[in-house]
Amino acid sequence: MRSAWSVIGGVGLRRAPVWIGMAAIVAMSWYYLGRIDSAMSPMHGTSPPAGMAMGGDGVVSPLMAFAMWAVMMMAMMLPTVAPSASVFSSLSARRDPGRTNSATAAYVTGYAAPWIAFAAPAALMQWALTYALLLDPMARSTSTMLSSAILLAAGVYQWLPLKSACLSKCRSPLAFFMANWLDGKSGAFWLGLRHGGYCGGCCWALMAVMFVVGAMSLAWMGLIMLLVLSEKVIPLSWRFDKTLGMVLVAAGLWIAAGM
């Protein structure tokens, strides 16, 4: 008789291609962002590299900003789907073991779709704010009023019922899957799409904070990614989301007081 550990190991190996694929996408995304950061680092406080300028009248700059935001979302949000993707993979393996990898890949693709869509308004916002001279080349606010408003709005949103409702779906993927399960790859995609939509509803305000600290900052990308993941995995009794909201409001008020 095979040991329990050998069975678990075999299941893990069968699912490895999905996790390796996700890791590769995340790694390539961070590598691309690192290349952009390296290209821009000699120009901090001056002007962005050729092609990255956001103040032109053509469509190239907004499209490049969209591409940048789409890559940012993959770098920041794909790691946060790991807990729910793991639960989905386990459930899928019980229902249709032969298609677990393809179903999980479809789920992750669906989850990523709302975040890629989010890149469009984020890019337009970056283009508009930079065109209005409210952002510097690192996509960091140059206006204390704008910075304060974003932080206050993001902090207040942490306390709103909509935030709590969306976060509850992110924190309890098993309950979400049990209530909404759909078989097949198309069902997996729609489950991912819905779950990604809830995640977007939960975290969009935190993403807006990137315009305060610098949307091109790798360090802040990493920190916000950890904050998003922490909201999903830290025990509810810690009220991490509400504490984070108070920190954001306090930061917004502090900036406003210095205006």
Side-chain angles (χ1 to χ4, degrees), residues 61-234:
S61 293
L63 287 177
M64 291 193 70
F66 169 77
M68 183 196 73
W69 274 94
V71 173
M72 283 172 55
M73 293 303 98
M74 293 303 94
M76 297 172 66
M77 298 312 300
L78 273 189
T80 72
V81 75
S84 66
S86 179
V87 174
F88 175 88
S89 182
S90 297
L91 293 175
S92 179
R94 295 179 184 178
R95 299 182 66 90
D96 192 355
R99 298 183 179 179
T100 300
N101 281 335
S102 59
T104 305
Y107 169 77
V108 173
T109 301
Y111 179 90
W115 284 108
I116 293 176
F118 173 82
L124 288 175
M125 181 65 69
Q126 182 176 341
W127 179 83
L129 291 175
T130 308
Y131 195 83
L133 303 180
L134 294 175
L135 295 182
D136 67 12
M138 295 301 292
R140 181 174 49 232
S141 172
T142 60
S143 165
T144 54
M145 182 178 296
L146 175 64
S147 297
S148 178
I150 290 175
L151 290 171
L152 289 172
V156 170
Y157 186 73
Q158 293 290 110
W159 287 80
L160 296 183
L162 177 59
K163 164 75 179 193
S164 298
C166 292
L167 181 58
S168 67
K169 304 294 185 182
C170 297
R171 291 184 58 85
S172 305
L174 178 59
F176 171 80
F177 293 139
M178 296 301 290
N180 301 280
W181 187 264
L182 296 170
D183 287 321
K185 288 188 289 186
S186 61
F189 177 84
W190 284 109
L191 283 171
L193 190 68
R194 290 187 61 186
H195 210 248
Y198 283 121
C199 187
C202 174
C203 305
W204 69 268
L206 287 177
M207 294 299 166
V209 173
M210 294 291 290
F211 289 128
V212 178
V213 297
M216 299 295 295
S217 168
L218 292 182
W220 281 105
M221 288 181 205
L223 178 58
I224 290 179
M225 178 190 74
L226 291 176
L227 292 176
V228 170
L229 182 60
S230 297
E231 283 193 326
K232 294 182 179 183
V233 300
I234 286 180

